[in-house]
């Protein structure tokens, strides 16, 4: 199984690289090209909340809803942008929360 791919800032990427992940640091403000590449290359894609917030909401929702690859939003080292509440998201999809 190929290593997971992390998409985020340089500082966070260095930690993920030490953990064995392949990393991508977007050069510009748009992380969409890196996310598209990562989704073709890995079974697990991790993207920081700060970069995920720059993606169109519908694209991020589509990527997160799929099972392959698994796309997870994770905090970055600075934790400036909150990570989505996964439990609440699941409850809403199951109709348990309005």
């Amino acid at each position: 199984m190929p290593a997971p791919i992390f998409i985020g800032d340089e500082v966070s990427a260095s930690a993920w690289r030490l953990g064995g992940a392949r990393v991508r640091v977007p050069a510009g403000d748009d992380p969409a090209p890196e996310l598209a590449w990562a989704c073709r290359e890995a079974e697990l894609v991790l993207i920081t909340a700060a970069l995920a917030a720059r993606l169109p909401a519908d694209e991020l929702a589509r990527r997160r809803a799929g099972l392959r690859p698994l796309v997870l939003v994770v905090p970055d080292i600075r934790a400036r942008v909150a990570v989505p509440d996964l439990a609440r998201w699941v409850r809403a999809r199951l109709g348990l929360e309005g």
Side-chain angles (χ1 to χ4, degrees):
M1 174 185 221
I5 296 176
F6 171 82
I7 304 168
D9 62 273
E10 290 181 26
V11 176
S12 299
S14 63
W16 284 96
R17 185 179 294 114
L18 288 172
R22 295 182 286 167
V23 301
R24 296 290 280 235
V25 177
D29 287 338
D30 184 12
E34 281 80 8
L35 181 59
W37 170 82
C39 287
R40 289 189 305 270
E41 297 293 322
E43 295 293 318
L44 174 60
V45 177
L46 307 157
I47 184 169
T48 63
L51 286 179
R54 295 181 188 172
L55 293 166
D58 60 331
E59 179 180 357
L60 182 59
R62 182 177 55 82
R63 298 280 189 187
R64 290 183 63 209
L67 296 177
R68 208 166 217 168
L70 183 60
V71 176
L72 300 176
V73 178
V74 298
D76 61 22
I77 197 81
R78 294 174 188 90
R80 292 183 190 158
V81 178
V83 176
D85 184 347
L86 182 59
R88 184 175 185 188
W89 182 83
V90 169
R91 287 191 304 271
R93 295 308 174 275
L94 294 173
L96 302 174
E97 193 171 284

